[in-house]
Amino acid sequence: MRLNSASAFDPRFKNLGGGLTPLPTYFSAADVPATVTSSASTLLNFDNFNPQPYSVDGFLGNLTTFPAIGSGIYHSGSVDFMHRLARGLFFRANYTFAKNIDNATNELFSSIVNPRRAQDGYNFGNERGLSALNNRHKLAITWVYDLP
């Protein structure tokens, strides 16, 4: 979770000037209204917004924390087949079908393979999805031959 980053649209940061409404976008001059309601945010509101809440305490860079708020769920089913054949030959096959869902796998860019970062570090519940650790199908086949 990045502590020293705030969104101008998040009402939790009203004390920093947050809770702003997005600036309107017009695609042609004919779409521009003659007047805009006073409740609309202005460019000056966005310019005055401080996106680093802890900068008033001297922290001007990124502040990262590792909160213990991640969760996950794992469902699976497996089949195991074992058979001893003649003359010391043993055969085993195992198949697992699984699904791993979580909301906090590798959120802090600790891997080049999976450079995930939360869209909203203050709401990990919205990050729920297939885990980077999800391995849907696993098949293992082994055999052993006992020497006489």
Side-chain angles (χ1 to χ4, degrees):
M1 175 186 290
R2 286 184 167 177
L3 294 178
N4 205 20
S5 65
S7 171
F9 305 110
D10 195 337
R12 290 177 291 191
F13 299 106
K14 280 260 191 214
N15 60 336
L16 300 172
L20 302 176
T21 56
L23 294 175
T25 303
Y26 306 108
F27 295 105
S28 69
D31 293 338
V32 179
T35 60
V36 179
T37 61
S38 62
S39 63
S41 300
T42 64
L43 184 57
L44 184 62
N45 295 125
F46 283 95
D47 289 341
N48 291 334
F49 177 71
N50 180 7
Q52 295 182 321
Y54 294 102
S55 64
V56 295
D57 298 322
F59 296 100
L60 302 175
N62 289 330
L63 290 175
T64 306
T65 183
F66 300 88
I69 57 175
S71 65
I73 188 167
Y74 178 78
H75 298 285
S76 70
S78 65
V79 178
D80 195 22
F81 173 76
M82 293 181 284
H83 189 68
R84 183 172 297 279
L85 300 169
R87 299 183 186 169
L89 185 61
F90 176 78
F91 175 79
R92 182 175 186 176
N94 179 282
Y95 172 76
T96 302
F97 178 78
K99 193 172 200 179
N100 192 0
I101 299 170
D102 68 16
N103 65 359
T105 304
N106 200 15
E107 293 294 343
L108 299 166
F109 197 70
S110 59
S111 169
I112 300 278
V113 177
N114 182 26
R116 288 179 52 198
R117 182 159 312 276
Q119 293 179 58
D120 181 3
Y122 295 97
N123 188 356
F124 281 107
N126 284 345
E127 300 299 316
R128 183 179 164 95
L130 282 180
S131 172
L133 306 174
N134 184 47
N135 189 2
R136 182 69 55 98
H137 304 282
K138 180 185 174 207
L139 175 65
I141 299 173
T142 58
W143 59 273
V144 175
Y145 179 69
D146 289 331
L147 294 174

